[in-house]
Each structure stands twice: as C-alpha cells, then as structure tokens.
Amino acid sequence: MSVLVNSTINGDNVSFSCDADETLMDALRNRVGLKGVKEGCGTGDCGACSIRLDGALVCSCLVLGAEAEGRTVETVEGMSNGAELHVLQTKFLEHAALQCGICTPGFLIAAQTLLEKNPSPTETEIRYALAGNLCRCTGYDKIVRAVQDAAVVMKKGRKK
Amino acid sequence: MLYESPQTTEDAVELLSKSKGKVHVLAGGSDLLVRMKGGYIEPDVVIDIKRIKSMNTIKKTADGFLIGAAVSCARMADHQALCKAWPGVVEAASLIGSDQIQGRCTMAGNMCNASPAADSVPAMIAAEAWALVQGPRGERWVLVEKIAKAPGVTTLRKGEVVEAILLPPKYKKSGDAYLRFTPRTEMDIAVVSAAVNLTLGAKGVITDARVALGAVGPKAMLVKPAAKAIVGTTLDDAALAKLAAAAAAACDPIDDKRGTIQFRTKVAQVLAKRAAKIAYQRAGGK
Amino acid sequence: MNKETKFTERTFKSVGTRPVRPDGVDKVTGRARYGADYDMPGQLIGLMLRSPHAHATIKKIDTSAAEQLPGVKAVVTSKDLPDLTDGDTDLKCILENSMARKKAFYDGHAVAAVAAVDMPTAKAALKLINVEYKIHKHVTDVDKAADPKAPVLHKDCFTKGVEPAPVKPSNIAASSEFGHGDVGKGFDDADFVVERNFRTEQTHQGYIEPHACVASVSPDGSGELWVCTQGHFVFRQQCAQLLGMDMAKLRVTSSEIGGGFGGKTHLWLEPVALALSRKANLPVKLTMTREDVFRASGPTSATSIDIKIGIKNDGTITAGEATLRYTSGPWKGSWAMLGAMTAFACYDLENVKTTGLEILVNRPKTTAYRAPSAPMAAFAVESVIDELAGKIGRDPVAVRIQNAAKEGTQSSYGPVYGPIGIGPTLEAAAKHPHMSAPLGENQGRGMACGFWFNFGGQSCTHINIDIDGTVTLTVGTIDVGGARASLSLVVAEELGINYEQVKTVIGDTGNLGYNEMTDGSRGTFASSMSAIMSARKAIEELKQRAAMMWDVSVDEVSWEDGHARATGNSNLPPLSIAEIAAGAGKTGGPIAGHTELNADGAGVSFATHICDVEVDPETGLTRVIRYTVIQDAGKAVHPTYVEGQFQGGATQGIGWALNEEYIYGDDGRLQNPGFLDYRIPVCSDLPMIDTQILEIPNPNHPYGIRGVGETSIVPPLAAIANAVSNASGVRMTHVPMSPPRILAAIEEAETTTA
Amino acid sequence: MVTINIWGALRPAVNGAASIELDATTIRDLFEKLEAQYPKTLPYIEEGIAVSIDGTIYQDSWSHPLPTDAEIYLLPRIAGG
C-alpha cells in the first residue's frame, strides 16, 4: 500500500507518496526526481546512495521512504549554495577525484559529513570515514587528496 | 506491506502481537532491508521502533548503561562515558559496516538478527550484557548469549520486542576488548571474532574473566574454559597458550565463502590472545 | 593511414596541462545522467527471470499466467528473439547469452523477461512464469572442465586450431600457439629451470553502475535505445542485427557511464529490452541489480597456467614456455589466445612457446576486463622470473633489464617492436627512491612488469566552428575517465585556441559515422587522431574564408595561434577564429571539419610496478603499504587523468591479487554476488598510489600518444606475489592471495622446514 | 613477393608453414591471395586477422601497402577492455 510522506528535502518542504516497502533511495530517485542519489548495489555495500537523514550519514537504500516522514533529507543536489559550488565539489574537480563519477555524489556527502565533524582529519581518518563508499576508477588516491585539500580551505574559511 | 511507526513500547508490543502475517521489527534496517531487496523475506507488516522515545536513549543508571534498542551505533560512539567504560563493546559496535551503516544499525538489531558473525554480540556477551525484553506478558531480562538460538533464529516469543540492552557498570580495574578478522579493513563480515572482558586483583592477577567467540559456531558463544585459562594468572605466555587451546577447543566452525574450518580455528586463537592482551592493558595490567 | 598521422616533434601549449573536465560540474552536482537516470514517457519496468541452475535444458516455459496478470504488457522468451545471426558465431553467442534458448548454461542465465506498469507488478509476474528444467551435471572449474571426463557443454564443440581436428567433442573450444626458436634447446642451455602451475580465480570488473537501458521500439520499425555502454555504435549494429531492424532506424544514445573496464563492451540486457518494447509497443526500462551484475555479466577468466622458464647463471633467460587455460564461460572466446600472446611480451627471448586453450565452463560469459587476459599470464611469468633471479643470486630488476625487449626485438607473439618503453620503465624503477626505502618487520618488496597491445580502429569526429569562434568537437567514443577534457585539449592545441573555447560532446549514432568502442585503450588515441585531422580540415576552411575576407589567394594565408595571417601582406591584421566565424554566413556557410579514419598503429604499452606489503604471519593478512606505478604514456595529454588511469588499474590489480574472486558452491551457484563478499578494495585498504609517467612518443600518432588505460592492471598480481614472497618467505601460486591461502602456505612451509 | 609470418593456430591452414610467400602489394591483396591459395584460412579471415607491418599492427586498413622488404606478421584480431 501507498504512504504519503512529508519531509524537508534539501531545505524545501516536499511531499511524496511511495509504496510502504519502497526504499528512500527509490523514492528520492523516482518520486522526487533526485537522480543524484545513485544505486550501485541496493544493499548498503557501496555508498553511492549516501544521503543525510536528520544529519546522520546513511545509505538511502537501507531506509524506507516512509521513514522520512517529518525528517530532513540532504542529497548532493543540495550541496552547492546556488551557483556557488561547495569547497568539496570544487576540490573534487581540481584534483580529478572522479573518473566515471557514479560514486561521486556519495563520496561528497560522506566527505562533507566527515569534515563537519572533524575539520582536520588525518589521511587515515579520511580513509576510514570514506570506507563505506566504493570507487572502482580512481584507486581513491585523488579522492583522499581532494578531501585533504578541502579540509585546509574550509578551515581557513572558518577562521576568517 | 503495512508500515507502522508506534510511539510507545506498549503500542509496538500490541502491534507485534496482533498483526497478521509476517511481521518484522525495523530498527536500523541494515539487515531487514537487504533481505527484502533480495526477496528473501516479504513482510506483511514492518514495525519501525525508531520513533519510540524510550528506545532512543542511552541512560547511565546504577545498574549500568541502558542502551535503547533504536540507538544507532554511531550514537554509541559519540557517548563519552560509554566509550570509557566499555571500549571493547563500543569498538565492536563501531565495526559494523561503514559510517553510513553506523548511522542506522543498532546493537539490539545486530543481536536479534542472530547471525553468528554479528560484531557486537561477542563483545556484549563478554561484558555480561542483558537484554530488556518487552512482551504481551510484561518485561523480562535475558542474558545476551541466550537471545540467539541458531543462525537467524532467536528465543524471542510472539509479540516480544527488545527495548534496550543493559551493559553492567564499569568495575574497577577491569577492561574489555573486541577483535575480529576480516580480509578488508572495513565493510566486511567477521570471519572470526573474539571478545575478552577481565578484572584484575592485586599484582595484576586476573580475578574474573569472560571470553566470547564469534563466527566459529552456529551462534556467538561464551567460552568458559577460555576464561578459566587466564583467571588467576597475569596473562603470561603459559596462560595465553592455555587460552588459545581452550578457544580452539570451543571452535565448531564451518567451511564457507568467508573462511575455512582450519583458518577460523587458527585465527580464533590468535584473536583471543590479542584481545586478552588489550583487555589486560585496559584493566591496568602491564 | 596517411602519413600526416606520423609523430612530429613539437612544443605543446595546451596538451600536457591539467584543466577541469567539461563534464565535471554535472558529476559533482548530481546532474549527470547515467544509464538508470533517464526515463521515457509511458515507460514500463522490465525484469528478467534467471536460471537458478548451472546447466539445464529448458523443457518448457509457461508464461500464460504472467501474461494475464493485470498491468503486464509483455512477456518475452527466446521465441521472441528468433535467430537472425546468419552464421555469425560471435553474434550467435551474444544472442544465446542474452536469453537462454535450449539450455541455461550458468546460474543467472536469463530465461524470460517481463515488462509491466511498475516494479511490484513486474516482480509478481516473474513469479507466475513456470519453467521446467532438466538439470545436467555442470562444471565450473577450469582444470576439471578441460578433463576429458567432464560434462560437455556443447556436443558440437571440437577444439579449433589443432591438426588433425579432434573427433570427440570437449570443453576445449580452441587452441592457439605463439612463439619462435626451440624451447627444448633453450632449456638444455639453462643453468636453472623453474616449472610451476599458477591459478587465478575469476574476477569482475566491478563497475559501480549496474547495467541499465531504456528501449523504445515503434510499430514503424524505428527505435531508440538509451544505454550505459562503452560503444553505442557497436551496440546499435548488434542490436539491429539481432532484432532484425534497419540500423539507421535505431538511434542509440550513450548515457554517462558509471565504469566499464571492458564489461560494458558487451550486450547483456539491451536486445531483451528492445524485444520487450517491441512486443509491448511502449518504452521499457531494464536494469540489473548488483546480484544480476555479478551472476550474469562480464567476469574475466579463471585460469590455470603451466609455466617453465630457464635461465643461465649470467642472467640470460634461455627459454620460456607456457600452456595457458582460460575459462571463457559457455562459449568460445579469445581469452587464452590473448594470454598466450602477452605472457612473454616484455622480454627478448630466443626461444619461446605459448599455447592458449579456451575452456568452456558453466559460468557467465567471459568479457574483456582491462588488458584482458594479460594480468594472469604476467602473474605466472613475473613470479617465475623473480624466483629465477633469486636462484642465480641476482637483483630481479637487473635480470629484467638484461632480458627486456627493445626496439628491434622480435616479440613473443611475432612482430618486431618499434620504440618501446619496457627498458625505460625498468631503469626508472631501479632509480626510484621506493626501491631503496627501508622495510620493517614482516614487510617485503616486490616488483613486476606488464604489457598490453593497445589498439585503434574506426573513428569518426566532427568539428563545428560556432559563429562566436567557440568550437564543438563531436566524437563517437564514449568518455570513461576524462577523455572529453583530453580531446578538447588536443583540438585547442591544433587550432591554437584556449581549452575553454572547445566543448567536446559525445554524439549519438545518428550524428556520426561508425565508431568502435572505447576499449583497447583506444579512446584518446584514436579519437584524438581523428580530431586532429578534423581540426586540420577546419583550419583549411578557416584559411579559405580568411582569404575570401581579405580577397587574397589562400596560398597567402597561414594559420597560427588561432588566427589567420596574411603572409604576403603585413598590413592586414590577423583575423581571429571568432572574426572569421562571425562572417561565415557570408563566406560560404558554416565552418566545420570532419574526419573518418582507421586509427592504426596504436603503440604497445609497458609498465613496471613496485610494491611493499606487510604480511601478518599469524593470520595471513596482507596489507599494501606502498605502491608505485611507472608507465609509458607516449604523450600524456592530461597528466592528471593519466595518473588516474595508472592508479585505478593498479588498485583493481591489488583487489584481484588479494581478495576478489568468484566463489561457486558444489551446486554451481555463485555464492558471493554482492559487494559484501566480493571484496573490492575500500579506501582504508590502500596507501596513496604513486605514479611516474614516461613519455616515449608513439611514432604513429601526430602527438605521440599511446593508450594508457589498461596496462596498469597487468603487473600488480605478480608484484604483490613477489612482495608477499619477500615478506613471508612463501611463494604464492594461487590468486587471490587471500588470508586463508597465505596462512595455509605459511603453515605448510613451517611444517616442511620443521 | 612478400614474406608473411603465420601465428601458431593459423599454421595448420597453410599446410603447417611458419611463413609463406605471397605476391601481394596491399593488405587487401594479401587476404585475397591468402584465401585463394590457402582456402582453409577463410574462417580465420572472416573472424578477423590483423596484419603487423614492421611492428605496427593494422586491424582494418585494406589499402595499406606491403613493402617487399617489410617484416609482416599475421595475428588474430585482439579485443581490449
């Protein structure tokens, strides 16, 4: 059966209806139209569908759409401030931290969550924080460097 | 499928008791939704317990830490007093999946999933943790090692739901540790795991210990002979050798895609020794 | 090709810089559309029914109940895909693989498909399809399948390439031999000979994006296909043939591609999606789940390789011989052949002989995976060379340098090499600081070399000079990792304008002539060659227009730095590309340049890798703690993306070496069809991957470009095996070197020495 | 006349020879004469044969000339990833 869900998605009040057994990933993609939420596995093993639910980093494939009722959802589509890209987005581009790009939205959300919690992570902390996001193209090297660089820039920005 | 999100434990119990068909509790969802996706289960009713207030808190009481069944492992890791008292349990809970999974998964869910490889369960068993079970006939307390019966099967009765896990208060000069073996650093299921919780007396002699092993039998198990092997010792090499032998004797693993009988038995010994050393150090031993 | 494709020395302005890719912003904001991100109006949801059996005859399929379910618009079986392959055996295999005909050959083989109004209805419909199977004995192991007593997959399979032809059918589909000299004599001359069997398990490309497409076929016979693919022109051709459609009426658009690595060179879902759409007369979206991807798409071969190499005390390798058995799934492939060709390609050998055997098994159809077949052969060869170096007490790098192939060497697969990079990568490795860095307890260092052919092929490009002087380059090779940036750089270089003025787009099959896939490391090599030619044609046109604007002869116009210059009249100020373009309407209409060519002469590619590992002697756990890739790029157009290719390939090799493998149960079913138990490396498993790009120009490309995409996956298996050997004292001959395998080897070695 | 080297699996189709002589001037000419003189090579030609001329591999270029002193190898067509 169908359920009606009211959520705050990327800052906007959004209502959508979905099947009771439909995942939030499917609902965001197919009901709300946020295709930046990617499906790589559907079982929480790849992180491509990473979003934030009430601020917590989660795989949206392991959340029911119905669970989003009254909660806030953040996806990659809400990351930039209008036309101004988030520092992480800019650094991912500068460092070529993406090749095919399918894993990128998930990495960005995970990295954003990390840097908000830990503004000066070590390389090891970055690697463990991003371990839930699989990338098959880059070998992670440039992703880690992009996050390191973004951390430096974001810290400077805070000091100002 | 029907989705229910009760506000109280009583409502959850009532829904669990009265709902028809296949009824499943949704805590973190990291197992339930995977099984739904694979078509292994097709629930008629899913009861989401995350909106129940009493299940969403970590309370420090005289009896210890009462951790609500819907508390995510990520929230446990943010609780400083809990981390200080039970570093082994928190580490075990923090090893489940990725940060993404941590944001959802719960220890109670890990326990009720009844997988022999569940990371938090051996650590809870070593800690002598109890589960607070609410049911149509009121509440009952069950030792964590008594919850799983067989892979995927629990001793919970119709209508029952775990409301919280109780970790005992931290004893003086005690320490716990959990180690698991996985081929990858993260995003993996334990091939073997070991948890040790011990208390020291005078001169660093172990006065009390609990040793638990995971993924070497149909369920995580408390290994009393392994504890016996180190009680009364200062965890010298002889004691460690006896601990390893007792751990090996308790192993009854299977050959599967994740490891062989031989490998699991060998590594269970290695992990038991390593975990014991960490616990010993955490308890203040040298 | 014509001679202007030959390399000429030049100083580059754009090529070699590192700008942001044109598709970048779309990919960091969630805008980029991949296979599953596109919807057509009125689209249905398709689902496949797959065989749970490894080897079974399909006696009967009853689809009537499914067809009657409300909301179901089409059900197809192999009957809806009649055999139109007309003797084309490759196409026949594609047909049989996309939908089982008489037999299901592996766990996961598609047997039927439905299209319905939504996913729940499609799922319900699948359950209503009743398939009656007769189950046969199956075989998944490479050596067991080659045994004469094995269950035979195809009664009409007689080994090709041997004389006299066998009279009994077997699972050995083909044999191919390469080499020269006399290996027997070579082994007689050797002071040491090592002979071993090596095994590698089947791995998957592991792209994060599962296969997905949306197909729409109209009653008038025209159709559209949106699909994630490495080659939409190839997909169009094969789909049109299989469906009996006119090629021109089937328009295929490639989506952004979420990784391919060879796995998206092959049709899996697409003919079925088209058949469903044709039957339903509505668009159909068909996607794979991750489980489908593992069970039923593109794995590489599992192998068993017998190898024998001889060496003299002075370090000369006197002979190399190998018999290489590669699984190819249920149908013949050319995977063992590629293994046999590449095995000894790094070395200058007087006596060499390789035999490749294609082995049929009840596993999914083997597909190309980055430098297909080369990593396994290199694992065997490079492991034994390391062992031989140890036997004669020489440094493994020095032994390799001594025997490395060079310009003029006859390769192990036949032809004589032109200028090549194996020697320089080895020399660079010898000098690299990594080589002399200290190691800790339980740590070991290993190195290994790798080779891949690279190729070119049919390519077609088009350049439009827009009226504001900006430039659109349309190519037909899809972009897997930044090719649009590289190709924009090349066009900017040729036209003498800024990178920002050039936009490269991927055309659909209606926009350009046929293009081969982005495979064989050809994307940048071949499309850049074609783009350079298109740019040169556009320059000729620009000069004509400038001549017209100035009213001088075109012979008096030169092209320099994005401007036409009047060579005979210094009073005329140069005309910029924008100025010429602005007047295009008056000087003859739009300005464009178009090229179609066969990009031959892709330069062969070599790499040397160095790695350090730490092995836990109590658990057999291996961690890679340092890794360096040294590879020849010919010319690195966009060095950052070249590094990315090196790093990504190395990491895939690391995963293959340590943990990735297909695990089949006794029932022939795949036990680990997910990312949880098919363990690709995660971020915390790895160190930074250092890279060193060498540039030895390819003489057959105007800029000296070679392909760079594939070679980096070739050395890691052996480099890690050699490092593990140095760290733990055990020689691993079975990949992946998972902890249980390493621990068992350590224990066996302890028992033997005790 | 040009000397054409043959890879192992194709040798049975040219009576076991490791190399053959053909009076061919282009790649197309080579294939036509190969098929005419050694009909058993036809299935291989249909499957795809690449021609290496002085170390450069040509997969498709029919019109490419074959210099008489060139080193020519026939190879199976290869696939990549």
Side-chain angles (χ1 to χ4, degrees):
Chain A
M1 72 172 264
S2 202
V3 283
L4 182 68
V5 182
N6 298 289
S7 318
T8 305
I9 301 180
N10 295 328
D12 297 320
N13 294 327
V14 176
S15 302
F16 61 89
S17 65
C18 67
D19 292 331
D21 59 357
E22 191 170 320
T23 64
L24 182 56
M25 174 187 74
D26 284 336
L28 290 173
R29 285 178 55 79
N30 301 327
R31 314 275 181 181
V32 188
L34 296 173
K35 304 271 191 189
V37 179
K38 303 296 181 193
E39 175 171 2
C41 68
T43 51
D45 300 316
C46 79
C49 67
S50 295
I51 60 154
R52 296 204 285 188
L53 185 65
D54 277 353
L57 177 69
V58 299
C59 288
S60 58
C61 70
L62 297 183
V63 180
L64 289 176
E67 289 185 68
E69 171 65 34
R71 301 196 195 276
T72 63
V73 172
E74 294 164 82
T75 73
V76 73
E77 285 90 346
M79 224 176 143
S80 56
N81 179 14
E84 188 193 338
L85 295 182
H86 189 280
V87 175
L88 275 161
Q89 292 173 314
T90 308
K91 292 299 169 190
F92 265 57
L93 292 176
E94 282 176 17
H95 286 267
L98 56 138
Q99 280 177 35
C100 82
I102 192 95
C103 68
T104 308
F107 267 101
L108 287 167
I109 294 284
Q112 183 186 18
T113 308
L114 166 71
L115 294 185
E116 284 173 12
K117 206 171 159 182
N118 178 0
S120 314
T122 63
E123 183 192 331
T124 303
E125 284 169 338
I126 293 171
R127 287 188 178 277
Y128 276 85
L130 300 180
N133 295 82
L134 297 181
C135 169
R136 193 58 159 172
C137 295
T138 63
Y140 304 104
D141 182 297
K142 295 187 190 302
I143 294 174
V144 174
R145 289 179 201 276
V147 175
Q148 286 174 324
D149 194 2
V152 173
V153 173
M154 284 166 74
K155 261 183 86 177
K156 273 188 199 149
R158 272 189 212 99
K159 274 182 194 152
K160 272 176 200 166
Chain B
M1 188 191 102
L2 212 59
Y3 168 82
E4 299 282 3
S5 53
Q7 305 286 317
T8 65
T9 304
E10 292 73 35
D11 287 353
V13 168
E14 175 150 345
L15 279 164
L16 272 166
S17 311
K18 305 216 167 129
S19 295
K20 294 208 172 63
K22 287 163 278 180
V23 188
H24 289 266
V25 173
L26 169 65
S30 53
D31 285 302
L32 183 70
L33 266 73
V34 172
R35 286 190 286 154
M36 282 166 65
K37 167 97 181 175
Y40 303 106
I41 53 166
E42 288 179 0
D44 295 299
V45 185
V46 161
I47 299 169
D48 179 3
I49 59 169
K50 280 190 298 297
R51 293 187 195 256
I52 300 172
K53 281 212 175 82
S54 61
M55 294 198 188
N56 260 306
T57 54
I58 302 176
K59 268 189 265 181
K60 196 180 172 192
T61 70
D63 296 329
F65 293 90
L66 195 64
I67 302 160
V71 171
S72 71
C73 293
R75 279 180 55 207
M76 285 175 61
D78 290 338
H79 196 288
Q80 288 185 358
L82 181 64
C83 292
K84 203 169 166 224
W86 292 103
V89 173
V90 176
E91 278 165 12
S94 300
L95 280 171
I96 305 168
S98 57
D99 279 11
Q100 283 86 337
I101 306 291
Q102 291 286 306
R104 292 276 292 169
C105 69
T106 70
M107 279 211 304
N110 201 217
M111 174 181 74
C112 292
N113 194 42
S115 158
D119 279 310
S120 67
V121 177
M124 284 194 280
I125 292 175
E128 204 170 2
W130 291 79
L132 171 58
V133 178
Q134 296 285 0
R137 281 180 287 176
E139 68 172 47
R140 61 188 183 109
W141 289 89
V142 185
L143 270 168
V144 166
E145 59 260 41
K146 305 279 187 201
I147 293 284
K149 198 196 243 167
V153 186
T154 69
T155 57
L156 294 179
R157 301 166 194 147
K158 166 91 178 158
E160 284 188 334
V161 62
V162 173
E163 187 176 41
I165 304 272
L166 180 74
L167 285 170
K170 153 107 167 122
Y171 306 115
K172 269 186 189 162
K173 294 181 88 174
S174 69
D176 79 325
Y178 171 80
L179 290 174
R180 66 166 187 188
F181 181 86
T182 57
R184 289 191 291 191
T185 47
E186 286 278 288
M187 296 304 291
D188 230 330
I189 300 287
V191 180
V192 198
S193 61
V196 177
N197 173 30
L198 48 77
T199 308
L200 304 186
K203 293 182 183 170
V205 173
I206 299 169
T207 57
D208 195 13
R210 283 170 70 88
V211 177
L213 296 176
V216 287
K219 55 181 197 162
M221 56 174 108
L222 181 70
V223 186
K224 286 183 179 164
K228 219 171 139 187
I230 56 171
V231 170
T233 75
T234 54
L235 207 68
D236 50 30
D237 288 350
L240 285 167
K242 277 190 194 163
L243 166 71
C251 287
D252 182 22
I254 53 166
D255 275 331
D256 71 2
K257 61 191 172 188
R258 293 181 185 139
T260 58
I261 293 170
Q262 202 188 1
F263 180 78
R264 286 188 158 112
T265 309
K266 173 84 200 275
V267 176
Q269 301 171 56
V270 175
L271 296 187
K273 286 195 282 186
R274 290 179 183 177
K277 284 186 196 166
I278 298 169
Y280 189 75
Q281 219 169 24
R282 284 179 177 165
K286 290 176 286 188
Chain C
M1 255 313 297
N2 37 20
K3 45 181 186 292
E4 63 263 29
T5 62
K6 295 289 175 208
F7 172 69
T8 43
E9 195 76 47
R10 63 191 289 160
T11 311
F12 292 104
K13 282 183 183 160
S14 293
V15 165
T17 61
R18 303 172 186 243
V20 166
R21 59 201 282 170
D23 50 316
V25 171
D26 281 357
K27 285 179 176 167
V28 297
T29 55
R31 267 193 205 94
R33 285 181 305 174
Y34 293 82
D37 298 339
Y38 184 69
D39 298 310
M40 288 190 196
Q43 141 196 311
L44 303 171
I45 298 299
L47 268 186
M48 294 267 216
L49 183 69
R50 298 181 179 278
S51 167
H53 307 297
H55 193 191
T57 296
I58 299 166
K59 291 173 71 181
K60 210 173 110 189
I61 304 183
D62 183 357
T63 59
S64 53
E67 279 157 17
Q68 280 153 28
L69 186 73
V72 172
K73 303 292 179 187
V75 182
V76 303
T77 65
S78 61
K79 282 185 200 147
D80 299 283
L81 283 161
D83 185 356
L84 305 173
T85 57
D86 193 26
D88 182 334
T89 50
D90 285 348
L91 201 61
K92 181 81 183 292
C93 296
I94 293 170
L95 176 70
E96 286 190 17
N97 189 46
S98 61
M99 188 63 83
R101 302 182 86 76
K102 288 186 181 115
K103 261 177 161 190
F105 282 108
Y106 56 91
D107 164 40
H109 197 171
V111 293
V114 302
V117 289
D118 57 20
M119 186 57 95
T121 311
K123 279 185 178 168
L126 277 199
K127 288 187 182 163
L128 295 173
I129 299 175
N130 190 12
V131 187
E132 218 177 291
Y133 294 101
K134 180 176 186 270
I135 299 167
H136 305 294
K137 282 188 182 153
H138 65 271
V139 62
T140 54
D141 180 84
V142 56
D143 286 323
K144 284 182 188 154
D147 190 294
K149 282 181 238 131
V152 171
L153 272 70
H154 300 278
K155 294 245 154 56
D156 59 349
C157 174
F158 302 92
T159 313
K160 270 186 75 179
V162 288
E163 283 289 310
V167 289
K168 269 186 70 185
S170 74
N171 294 324
I172 304 173
S175 168
S176 46
E177 251 185 61
F178 298 89
H180 53 256
D182 178 348
V183 288
K185 185 184 164 298
F187 290 125
D188 290 343
D189 292 345
D191 292 310
F192 290 97
V193 174
V194 166
E195 196 172 356
R196 281 187 183 276
N197 172 261
F198 289 85
R199 278 179 68 97
T200 66
E201 295 301 328
Q202 181 170 299
T203 55
H204 195 277
Q205 296 83 349
Y207 31 83
I208 307 299
E209 182 200 24
H211 299 273
C213 66
V214 190
S216 176
V217 180
S218 302
D220 66 1
S222 64
E224 282 183 69
L225 181 68
W226 163 273
V227 60
C228 63
T229 170
Q230 287 177 247
H232 45 312
F233 289 90
V234 178
F235 272 34
R236 174 178 68 160
Q237 186 167 317
Q238 292 176 344
C239 282
Q241 281 178 271
L242 290 173
L243 274 289
M245 297 171 75
D246 293 338
M247 272 172 219
K249 289 187 189 158
L250 178 60
R251 179 176 168 210
V252 182
T253 308
S254 63
S255 69
E256 290 295 336
I257 182 171
F261 317 110
K264 289 175 183 165
T265 60
H266 195 284
L267 291 177
W268 309 104
L269 298 164
E270 298 77 10
V272 176
L274 288 161
L276 281 169
S277 174
R278 178 164 66 184
K279 201 161 179 179
N281 190 23
L282 282 169
V284 175
K285 179 182 268 191
L286 195 52
T287 57
M288 279 195 184
T289 62
R290 177 55 50 184
E291 184 178 323
D292 293 340
V293 171
F294 277 114
R295 283 170 78 203
S297 77
T300 186
S301 303
T303 71
S304 169
I305 299 171
D306 296 324
I307 192 146
K308 186 177 177 184
I309 305 178
I311 197 166
K312 277 196 201 171
N313 276 320
D314 71 1
T316 312
I317 298 173
T318 56
E321 186 175 9
T323 300
L324 309 100
R325 288 169 288 271
Y326 280 54
T327 62
S328 68
W331 299 279
K332 183 182 108 47
S334 52
W335 312 113
M337 179 194 85
L338 290 171
M341 290 173 84
T342 57
F344 290 101
C346 290
Y347 299 104
D348 182 359
L349 301 180
E350 207 170 306
N351 308 295
V352 59
K353 184 184 172 191
T354 58
T355 306
L357 302 171
E358 311 290 334
I359 311 294
L360 306 187
V361 287
N362 295 111
R363 292 177 180 237
K365 187 172 187 254
T366 295
T367 312
Y369 179 17
R370 207 169 197 155
S373 302
M376 307 82 136
F379 168 52
V381 170
E382 294 292 302
S383 292
V384 171
I385 288 182
D386 234 51
E387 199 175 349
L388 287 167
K391 289 216 187 281
I392 60 167
R394 288 273 305 278
D395 171 58
V397 184
V399 167
R400 284 179 174 86
I401 290 174
Q402 184 179 339
N403 292 284
K406 46 199 158 295
E407 188 165 1
T409 295
Q410 183 182 12
S411 67
S412 58
Y413 57 91
V416 168
Y417 288 125
I420 54 170
I422 179 66
T425 65
L426 279 162
E427 302 281 357
K431 283 185 217 125
H432 199 284
H434 184 170
M435 219 57 202
S436 50
L439 286 165
E441 200 187 349
N442 296 324
Q443 296 180 350
R445 178 166 299 138
M447 53 78 56
C449 300
F451 159 88
W452 182 246
F453 302 97
N454 293 344
F455 49 90
Q458 298 180 61
S459 304
C460 183
T461 56
H462 193 81
I463 278 177
N464 281 324
I465 314 289
D466 301 302
I467 57 163
D468 59 356
T470 60
V471 175
T472 308
L473 169 69
T474 309
V475 300
T477 44
I478 67 108
D479 177 357
V480 290
R484 273 167 288 196
S486 302
L487 295 170
S488 294
L489 282 171
V490 163
V491 168
E493 185 75 49
E494 198 63 34
L495 291 174
I497 57 177
N498 292 329
Y499 167 79
E500 291 72 22
Q501 285 172 263
V502 184
K503 171 93 174 172
T504 298
V505 299
I506 319 284
D508 68 36
T509 54
N511 299 142
L512 288 171
Y514 182 82
N515 275 269
E516 286 182 42
M517 308 247 189
T518 298
D519 68 346
S521 299
R522 71 178 286 278
T524 299
F525 165 77
S527 275
S528 71
M529 192 189 279
S530 180
I532 289 167
M533 298 306 143
S534 290
R536 289 179 184 172
K537 285 181 184 167
I539 289 170
E540 285 314 306
E541 192 61 35
L542 286 160
K543 281 159 65 180
Q544 290 279 3
R545 306 300 179 89
M548 201 181 288
M549 288 164 84
W550 281 323
D551 212 7
V552 301
S553 155
V554 72
D555 302 335
E556 293 170 48
V557 182
S558 71
W559 189 261
E560 218 175 295
D561 287 335
H563 289 76
R565 288 170 206 278
T567 48
N569 188 341
S570 53
N571 292 332
L572 290 171
L575 280 169
S576 73
I577 191 167
E579 287 165 323
I580 303 170
K586 296 191 182 70
T587 56
I591 302 171
H594 179 90
T595 296
E596 57 282 313
L597 52 73
N598 271 328
D600 283 316
V604 291
S605 167
F606 293 90
T608 296
H609 290 195
I610 315 165
C611 90
D612 296 351
V613 301
E614 183 171 316
V615 180
D616 181 341
E618 289 189 312
T619 64
L621 183 75
T622 303
R623 292 269 176 265
V624 175
I625 51 176
R626 185 167 179 184
Y627 205 99
T628 303
V629 177
I630 304 163
Q631 188 177 319
D632 172 21
K635 173 68 201 173
V637 179
H638 191 302
T640 312
Y641 298 142
V642 172
E643 290 162 9
Q645 290 296 319
F646 290 4
Q647 290 163 335
T651 300
Q652 288 184 319
I654 290 168
W656 194 340
L658 292 178
N659 286 309
E660 292 178 33
E661 64 178 310
Y662 267 47
I663 302 169
Y664 279 94
D666 292 338
D667 56 4
R669 289 184 190 162
L670 182 61
Q671 301 206 330
N672 57 336
F675 279 137
L676 188 59
D677 286 307
Y678 183 88
R679 300 179 175 104
I680 79 172
V682 301
C683 194
S684 47
D685 291 339
L686 295 164
M688 294 294 188
I689 310 287
D690 295 329
T691 56
Q692 188 178 343
I693 302 171
L694 303 186
E695 294 187 328
I696 297 148
N698 174 7
N700 299 306
H701 185 284
Y703 292 0
I705 294 167
R706 294 173 196 265
V708 298
E710 293 174 284
T711 313
S712 55
I713 201 177
V714 183
L717 277 58
I720 291 172
N722 292 337
V724 165
S725 170
N726 291 329
S728 67
V730 294
R731 171 60 58 191
M732 297 304 296
T733 57
H734 192 170
V735 155
M737 295 168 268
S738 59
R741 287 201 185 105
I742 290 187
L743 191 61
I746 290 173
E747 285 184 337
E748 200 192 311
E750 280 166 0
T751 331
T752 334
T753 48
Chain D
M1 292 292 252
V2 286
T3 305
I4 318 252
N5 297 292
I6 310 288
W7 87 93
L10 187 64
R11 287 178 197 166
V14 293
N15 307 327
S19 70
I20 54 171
E21 303 253 310
L22 287 177
D23 185 15
T25 54
T26 63
I27 290 179
R28 178 184 186 169
D29 199 19
L30 183 160
F31 285 136
E32 281 172 355
K33 293 196 166 125
L34 187 65
E35 187 196 327
Q37 291 181 34
Y38 304 95
K40 279 191 197 168
T41 60
L42 182 61
Y44 291 90
I45 295 170
E46 281 175 350
E47 213 165 281
I49 292 180
V51 183
S52 165
I53 304 169
D54 288 330
T56 300
I57 298 174
Y58 297 88
Q59 299 234 83
D60 292 295
S61 300
W62 269 14
S63 60
H64 203 282
L66 304 177
T68 47
D69 54 346
E71 186 237 25
I72 297 166
Y73 259 87
L74 296 189
L75 295 169
R77 270 184 85 95
I78 48 178

